[in-house]
Amino acid sequence: DLIMNPDVMEVFLKREKILESIRDTLKKKGFHEVDTPSLQTVYGGAEARPFKTHLNALDIDMFLAISPELYLKRLIVGGFERVYTIARNFRNEGIDKSHNPEFTMMEIYQAYADYNDMMELTEEIFENAAIASNGTTKVKVGDVELDFKRPWKRMTMAEALKEFANIDIMNSSEQDLKAIVEKAGIEVRGNSWGYYVGALFETYCEEKLIQPTFITDHPRESTPLCKAHRSGDERLIERFEPFCMGMELANAYSELNDPIKQRALLEEQQERLSSGVDEEAHPIDKDFINAVEVGLPPTGGLGIGIDRMVILLTGQESIRDVILFPFMKPEND
């Protein structure tokens, strides 16, 4: 008889407990679970290459969702002040230990909140899920014991680059950083201070972040959907990403709710996409801009990769170990 390996089955029973815990945490905080479309006329909400398909009934091209973000923000505009979805996302990109073309993402939006509130919510979700699935906040992954107990370490991206690469980005010009990047032969997606900062962080810092750590205050170029930093430094935005075992676990912003700035940033992204400079740039979604013009309140947004969360909370090595039917290359007859 063909039966599942009991250790494998245990991983998926824990996955179920993790999802139950997440829903329980959010329900107690007054969040509503909603559905968003997987088939979209304009994709958006992340920087990724989409899967393209065709709707025969209307003879139009469609895209599989790369993120539910722009639909959840429409709901905030419509008066749902606390919403989330646990949805399938599809990104036409590489396949490795932490990437599968189809994966599960949870996105959460809360009106009258910011990225500081989202940091506290992230810690609470992970801590509760660790206890629900393992009975403790500590998890062994290989030879490393991780601890998801609150509070987690917090570092700005500038502090991380100072500590791990001895690069002082805040006092370095665009030309200074360009010289460092070129000397190291690092690939960069664009030519400006922020793109150089992002590339240097990916190269020198990510793999050093083993215990759960929030990296805050990213460069403006990293997303067109986030508010400028309240410090007044126009190079920075109010964004964080938590990292663990060298892997990004989530992404969160104080959401940009200025429609004039939002239009300008998305037009800039559309230009990068249309000119072929950046295949992962964000296309312009005029209906979304219209929603922001109606009135998006100050909002905190958070996206957590459920599969990566399950990898860590069950002590697995790869995303293939936590998806029941991971993508497999078809065999040739």
Side-chain angles (χ1 to χ4, degrees):
D1 288 346
L2 283 174
I3 57 170
M4 189 180 283
N5 177 318
D7 292 338
V8 173
M9 186 176 281
E10 180 64 23
V11 168
F12 290 97
L13 293 174
K14 281 188 175 182
R15 183 180 174 119
E16 185 181 4
K17 286 178 182 172
I18 289 165
L19 287 165
E20 283 173 355
S21 169
I22 291 168
R23 288 187 163 104
D24 186 52
T25 299
L26 292 172
K27 191 171 184 109
K28 284 175 179 167
K29 291 182 167 295
F31 284 87
H32 299 284
E33 185 172 7
V34 297
D35 288 321
T36 54
S38 291
L39 271 179
Q40 304 175 355
T41 52
V42 182
Y43 65 94
E47 293 186 336
R49 287 174 61 187
F51 287 97
K52 191 174 179 179
T53 187
H54 190 79
L55 178 61
N56 291 333
L58 298 179
D59 193 25
I60 56 171
D61 287 337
M62 302 281 287
F63 302 94
L64 290 177
I66 61 170
S67 163
E69 175 168 345
L70 304 189
Y71 289 91
L72 292 170
K73 285 184 180 174
R74 286 168 168 85
L75 291 174
I76 294 281
V77 170
F80 275 89
E81 291 189 353
R82 295 186 182 214
V83 290
Y84 76 98
T85 190
I86 297 175
R88 306 298 278 177
N89 284 357
F90 307 86
R91 297 186 185 175
N92 202 348
E93 54 194 16
I95 302 168
D96 58 30
K97 287 174 72 172
S98 60
H99 293 87
N100 194 67
E102 177 182 2
F103 61 98
T104 303
M105 171 68 80
M106 174 173 67
E107 293 214 10
I108 304 169
Y109 290 85
Q110 179 180 340
Y112 312 108
D114 65 11
Y115 77 142
N116 293 308
D117 299 302
M118 294 298 109
M119 266 186 265
E120 291 180 12
L121 183 59
T122 304
E123 290 172 330
E124 187 174 349
I125 286 169
F126 270 87
E127 183 179 82
N128 290 350
I131 292 166
S133 56
N134 296 309
T136 171
T137 59
K138 294 179 178 176
V139 186
K140 200 99 188 288
V141 178
D143 298 328
V144 179
E145 185 177 70
L146 301 173
D147 193 349
F148 290 94
K149 185 173 175 57
R150 294 177 278 178
W152 297 359
K153 185 175 180 180
R154 301 183 184 192
M155 302 175 81
T156 65
M157 193 172 279
E159 287 167 348
L161 277 159
K162 193 78 189 282
E163 181 170 328
F164 297 121
N166 199 27
I167 300 170
D168 182 2
I169 61 166
M170 302 309 288
N171 293 306
S172 298
S173 68
E174 185 178 308
Q175 291 307 313
D176 294 335
L177 296 183
K178 184 179 182 182
I180 296 169
V181 163
E182 287 181 349
K183 187 178 179 185
I186 298 168
E187 197 175 309
V188 190
R189 284 179 50 208
N191 299 309
S192 69
W193 185 87
Y195 284 115
Y196 298 137
V197 168
L200 288 166
F201 173 78
E202 283 180 23
T203 304
Y204 294 120
C205 303
E206 287 189 5
E207 66 185 16
K208 311 259 179 64
L209 299 167
I210 304 303
Q211 292 295 332
T213 306
F214 289 115
I215 298 296
T216 68
D217 304 348
H218 296 220
R220 178 182 64 83
E221 290 88 338
S222 65
T223 175
L225 298 165
C226 185
K227 263 189 176 167
H229 200 276
R230 65 191 70 185
S231 67
D233 189 328
E234 293 186 359
R235 296 174 297 176
L236 303 178
I237 54 175
E238 294 198 351
R239 177 186 186 189
F240 74 77
E241 290 175 321
F243 285 83
C244 184
M245 294 296 288
M247 185 166 61
E248 174 208 333
L249 298 183
N251 183 23
Y253 317 143
S254 298
E255 303 295 338
L256 179 58
N257 62 343
D258 178 331
I260 296 167
K261 282 185 183 169
Q262 184 64 90
R263 182 183 291 276
L265 286 167
L266 285 176
E267 283 174 349
E268 182 186 308
Q269 287 276 309
Q270 181 67 60
E271 176 59 30
R272 288 177 61 78
L273 184 66
S274 302
S275 64
V277 171
D278 188 352
E279 289 184 328
E280 294 188 355
H282 202 297
I284 193 161
D285 184 336
K286 291 178 181 173
D287 182 64
F288 168 66
I289 293 169
N290 180 51
V292 179
E293 286 171 345
V294 169
L296 177 66
T299 299
L302 167 65
I304 295 177
I306 295 294
D307 305 307
R308 292 184 184 184
M309 183 180 185
V310 176
I311 289 172
L312 293 169
L313 294 184
T314 59
Q316 300 305 299
E317 298 287 324
S318 165
I319 197 167
R320 300 174 68 82
D321 301 326
V322 299
I323 297 177
L324 280 169
F325 301 100
F327 178 78
M328 305 285 276
K329 192 175 175 183
E331 288 184 27
N332 292 323
D333 290 339

